[in-house]
Amino acid sequence: MSLGPVMLDIAGTQLTEEDKKRLLHPLTGGIILFSRNYSNHRQLTELTHEIHALRNPHLLIAVDHEGGRVQRFQKDFTKLPAMRELGKIWDKQPTRARHLAKQVGYVLAAELNACGVDFSFTPVLDIDHGQSCVIGDRAFHHNPNVISELAHNLMLGLKKGGMLAVGKHFPGHGYIQADSHLQISIDQRRYTDIEMNDLVPFQQMINYGLPGIMPAHVIYPKVDQHPAGFSNIWLQKILRTELQFEGCIFSDDLSMQGAADYLESIVMRAQAALHAGCDMILICNNLKGVDEVLNKLYWEMSATSLSRLARMHARDNFESMTKLRENGDYIRAVREISIIGCETGDLPLQ
């Protein structure tokens, strides 16, 4: 059974029969995990193995695991810094910041990979304009070129850990104060202003081979009346054609208020996002909406989308967290990133 376009979630730490039924649906292609799905690394590994065993090719398993205030798994996992901490180090020691970004990416990916997770929705490529209530310290920096440098090195670390990167939130969520999780969000800037600033990290990361992108549920009315994740102009004309992005496009959560205020019906949102150019759509914390989409959505996956999704499977699995903790590169990386944000963070590398 080939992968479908829907990524959904589950309620607990184990699969129920209802979960299995949804995961076996032809329209399902992946699952996103949250803190409620995690108790320890052994439980997580058992859960991911059970999910992967359901289908061939196996369902994609994703998580929002950026570091800082967005890290779904805490116990047994290394505490990862907010990306802004790497930006602070850059301002004093750019070479060291690059190295630490790579080490953070490696630890992030290796730990998730060892537990059977395919990828994290990271890095955040939004610019810290100093006014967003939802981005804030999730952004590396206020300088788009610094963001590109640090995100590139984080992506290299992710790759070393067997995992691909997904940049977000295209074309940039950092300028406005509104939180698209909670309300409709509008950015009134002209395209030229966005192109000269917020698009820079996305363009540079695409040039570096970025495999995945997640668009924002933000409306940029001077470009298009539709939110970016539902916009053919943003996803096809700008992202695919002008920026020449060939990777996978994942919608942001279609249950977010920024999407719900745009189109009331979850099925209409799913259709709109897919028609605009998303390869996979996310529906989170809304099992009623998931069932409605699985029952009513009609969508034929293209060979191109299937190829893009297949690429997102993790590689070079570390077998187990126990084995990983015996790995010398991993031990050194954990030691180095453990002091990020501490006074000793300004010490040169040994």
Side-chain angles (χ1 to χ4, degrees), residues 76-90:
D76 295 331
F77 276 76
T78 300
K79 181 176 175 59
L80 302 172
M83 295 302 99
R84 178 181 287 171
E85 296 299 327
L86 294 170
K88 290 177 181 178
I89 296 172
W90 173 279

Side-chain angles (χ1 to χ4, degrees), residues 4 14 35 48 51 73 90 128 186 207 216 221 226 270 281 332 342:
Q14 296 178 311
S35 298
T48 59
I51 293 168
F73 310 144
W90 173 279
D128 181 10
I186 301 174
N207 292 343
H226 306 299
I281 53 172
R332 284 188 292 274
C342 303

